[in-house]
């Protein structure tokens, strides 16, 4: 689960992961977990890791709610652990109270989690992608098809003021201050912008992990809920903010990058906890 420092190797891996998503061979492959009819019954039960796991008793996030909308409703990837859904609802409501939004919620997970095309994680119902883009009105479901993400990063690798401002800053900060979250993957330019600002409390910057390919959305990862012994989490991010100007080496230090852990690793099909095999064949309840 270690990852190399940013730079040539990181850029190569980022290119590789993008290739993994868009290559014809990958596009032709339908993950069998995406074809399941619905969640299994019973209370929520998470098995395994963010990148090698599944979830029984998953719950669907409503396609609309106060301050949020599910932006790819046709994908059926709005399923997750109830705590993830609560997090999204709370974030939407908090942004709405500040006069921003609605927030646009992209993929959470499939009806039973599991391997999901286009992602190396999002398997255990605890990961959620939220667009930085906040300029969309609440839209009827049928008008959400074909909408695109917008990059918050300019050609120089820094945030682009045309697509990054106080609303986006509030979005990331609110999420990062939530005690339910484990870390948030953001583009390095996003973290650099947030580090450069004056804050009365900088502790929340600790959970922001710079990660290529997160220039259009933040990827929020929740901790394993307390009642989920089958859930495998990750070590907490290293102490300190990771900001180069603070009293630590900053995110450019290779030790810190390694300690952040990987967002997820592509792996051969079938590598899952045994409980996921049983979950795959369990009947659907809804
Ligand atoms: Zn994600």
């Amino acid at each position: 689960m270690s990852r190399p420092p940013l730079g040539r190797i990181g850029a190569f891996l980022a290119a590789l992961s993008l290739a993994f998503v868009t290559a014809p061979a990958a596009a032709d492959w339908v993950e069998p977990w995406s074809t399941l009819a619905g969640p299994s019954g019973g209370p929520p039960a998470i098995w395994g890791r963010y990148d090698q796991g599944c979830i029984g008793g998953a719950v669907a996030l409503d396609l609309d709610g106060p301050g949020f909308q599910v932006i790819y409703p046709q994908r059926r990837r709005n399923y997750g652990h109830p705590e993830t859904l609560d997090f999204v609802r709370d974030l939407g409501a908090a942004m709405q109270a500040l006069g921003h939004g609605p927030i646009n919620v992209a993929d959470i997970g499939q009806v039973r989690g599991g391997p999901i095309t286009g992602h190396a994680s999002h398997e255990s119902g605890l990961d959620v992608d939220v667009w930085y883009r906040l300029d969309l009105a609440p839209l009827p479901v049928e008008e959400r098809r074909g909408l695109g993400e917008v990059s918050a990063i300019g050609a120089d690798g820094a945030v682009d003021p045309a697509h990054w401002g106080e609303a986006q800053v509030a979005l990331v900060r609110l999420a990062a201050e939530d005690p339910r979250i484990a870390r948030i993957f953001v583009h390095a330019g996003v973290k650099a912008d947030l580090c450069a600002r004056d804050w009365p409390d900088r502790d929340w910057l600790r959970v922001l992990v710079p990660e290529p390919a997160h220039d259009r959305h933040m990827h929020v990862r929740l901790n394993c809920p307390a009642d989920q012994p089958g859930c495998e989490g990750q070590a907490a991010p290293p102490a300190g903010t990771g900001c180069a100007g603070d009293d630590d080496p900053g995110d450019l230090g290779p030790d810190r990058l390694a300690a952040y852990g990987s967002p997820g690793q592509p792996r051969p099909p079938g590598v899952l906890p045994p409980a996921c095999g049983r979950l795959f064949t369990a009947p659907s309840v809804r």
Side-chain angles (χ1 to χ4, degrees), residues 11 26 37 39 126 128 137 145 163-164 172 183 218 235 247 256:
L126 296 173
V128 53
R145 190 180 287 268
H163 302 294
W164 179 263
V172 179
R183 60 197 72 208
M218 63 173 179
D247 292 330
R256 187 176 183 92

Side-chain angles (χ1 to χ4, degrees), residues 17-252:
S17 68
L18 285 175
F20 175 75
V21 170
T22 56
D28 291 343
W29 170 252
V30 176
E31 289 285 0
W33 288 75
S34 73
T35 66
L36 292 168
S40 69
I46 293 171
W47 304 102
R49 302 180 348 195
Y50 303 102
D51 63 345
Q52 286 182 19
C54 60
I55 174 171
V59 184
L61 180 66
D62 289 341
L63 299 182
D64 305 277
F68 74 86
Q69 57 188 347
V70 172
I71 207 69
Y72 299 130
Q74 72 279 10
R75 291 187 177 178
R76 292 201 314 145
R77 292 177 171 183
N78 55 318
Y79 289 79
H81 188 277
E83 206 158 293
T84 309
L85 276 46
D86 285 344
F87 164 81
V88 172
R89 295 187 190 104
D90 291 347
L91 182 61
M95 286 292 285
Q96 187 177 59
L98 293 175
H100 302 307
I103 65 170
N104 298 298
V105 182
D107 291 352
I108 304 175
Q110 298 170 136
V111 292
R112 301 185 193 188
I116 175 170
T117 304
H119 294 282
S121 61
H122 287 258
E123 297 192 13
S124 57
L126 296 173
D127 293 288
V128 53
D129 291 337
V130 180
W131 285 4
Y132 298 130
R133 185 176 182 183
L134 291 163
D135 61 334
L136 297 173
L139 295 169
V141 167
E142 59 271 17
E143 291 182 21
R144 296 177 203 170
R145 190 180 287 268
L147 290 169
E149 292 183 288
V150 174
S151 180
I153 300 297
D156 60 354
V159 289
D160 178 353
H163 302 294
W164 179 263
E166 294 307 317
Q168 285 73 24
V169 170
L171 176 74
V172 179
R173 185 185 181 198
L174 281 169
E177 289 180 330
D178 193 301
R180 290 168 290 197
I181 71 114
R183 60 197 72 208
I184 304 176
F185 301 102
V186 298
H187 188 279
V190 164
K191 180 151 186 180
D193 176 79
L194 296 170
C195 284
R197 294 170 182 257
D198 284 329
W199 300 104
D201 172 8
R202 298 177 67 80
D203 289 350
W204 59 276
L205 295 162
R206 173 185 180 187
V207 301
L208 302 181
V209 178
E211 188 65 34
H214 287 76
D215 61 312
R216 296 160 188 244
H217 64 262
M218 63 173 179
H219 174 154
V220 180
R221 174 165 288 174
L222 275 73
N223 290 303
C224 284
D227 63 348
Q228 295 294 325
C231 176
E232 293 181 48
Q234 287 176 294
T241 63
C243 299
D246 293 342
D247 292 330
D248 58 48
D251 283 329
L252 295 182

